[in-house]
Amino acid sequence: EVQLVQSGAEVKKPGESLKISCKGSGYTFTSQWIAWVRQMPGKGLEWMGIIYPGDSDTRYSPSFQGQVTISADKSISTAYLQWSSLKASDTAMYYCARLDSNYVSGHYYYALDVWGQGTTVTVSS
Amino acid sequence: EIVLTQSPGTLSVSPGERATLSCRASQSVSSSNLAWSQQKSGQAPRLLIYGVSRRATGIPDRFSGSGSGTDFTLTISRLEPEDFAVYYCQHYGSSRGTFGQGTKVEIK
């Protein structure tokens, strides 16, 4: 079974650093992009960026460039999302998801097909 | 950057009725990369449709997708109690993704 398992909920103070994780299993972790998605309380989904664990090629959404760092350790099939200095506005649920590239009838189809359970990050003084 | 606009924001439907959700892109997009996901309260999103009209594994055939260019539709033919949720369209292209703001399907 393909799974993404995320690390547990975090409660932090403004200015603190944080690194959350997403461990993949049941597929070749190095061969599929992993996306990070933010969902602020009561709001919709926001695309943060993606990483290709095979070579750590990383692409950020302009809104999140410079605000977070996405990384991966392919030896343990784990992707990470980290902050160097948290703000209250970082309070949200964070999801990782696999960006599947499905080759069917001569076409590649891309979609987020498997999601982690989410990690709640609360930043409060 | 592609912007996806979903309508309506909220759709009130009775169980057994049909629901039609719309997703409009700010520019023409590749149909291969347009998907729909469902999110129930307190849960992670779940992929329903990819490539505009292809159902993901295990998705019942009451869910169908259509469209091309800038206008896309998700149709739920007969709403079951478990279908009341928020639905997002999503596009991936040029190493970037974007989501619509979501349509909440609620019980009428």
Side-chain angles (χ1 to χ4, degrees), chain A residues 16-18 20 67-68 81-86 90 94 121:
Chain A
E16 291 185 333
S17 63
L18 176 63
I20 62 175
Q67 308 305 307
V68 297
L81 177 66
Q82 69 181 93
W83 296 259
S84 58
S85 181
L86 286 159
D90 293 317
Y94 293 89
V121 174

Side-chain angles (χ1 to χ4, degrees), chain B residues 48-98:
Chain B
L48 297 176
I49 300 283
Y50 67 96
V52 173
S53 60
R54 296 176 173 271
R55 278 186 296 277
T57 303
I59 301 303
D61 61 8
R62 64 179 181 274
F63 291 93
S64 63
S66 62
S68 64
T70 60
D71 292 301
F72 302 91
T73 300
L74 174 70
T75 301
I76 313 171
S77 58
R78 297 170 308 280
L79 274 156
E80 298 285 343
E82 62 267 27
D83 299 336
F84 292 94
V86 180
Y87 293 83
Y88 294 95
C89 58
Q90 181 244 312
H91 177 263
Y92 173 76
S94 302
S95 301
R96 290 182 186 175
T98 186

Side-chain angles (χ1 to χ4, degrees), chain A residues 18 21 24 27 39 56 64 67 69 75 78-79 91 95-97 106 109:
Chain A
L18 176 63
S21 66
Y27 74 102
Q39 188 167 39
S56 290
F64 293 93
Q67 308 305 307
T69 301
S75 70
T78 301
T91 294
Y95 293 102
C96 62
Y109 296 91

Side-chain angles (χ1 to χ4, degrees), chain A residues 88-106:
Chain A
S89 57
D90 293 317
T91 294
M93 177 73 83
Y94 293 89
Y95 293 102
C96 62
R98 185 178 75 164
L99 180 64
D100 185 42
S101 54
N102 193 10
Y103 189 71
V104 178
S105 303

Side-chain angles (χ1 to χ4, degrees), chain B residues 8-65:
Chain B
T10 302
L11 188 59
S12 298
V13 188
S14 300
E17 290 190 340
R18 181 187 191 91
T20 302
L21 289 67
S22 174
C23 175
R24 176 163 289 177
S26 57
Q27 59 188 275
S28 184
V29 301
S30 167
S31 294
S32 298
N33 301 344
L34 194 288
W36 290 89
S37 293
Q38 175 196 66
Q39 187 178 33
K40 297 180 182 178
S41 181
Q43 296 185 17
R46 175 178 72 145
L47 178 66
L48 297 176
I49 300 283
Y50 67 96
V52 173
S53 60
R54 296 176 173 271
R55 278 186 296 277
T57 303
I59 301 303
D61 61 8
R62 64 179 181 274
F63 291 93
S64 63

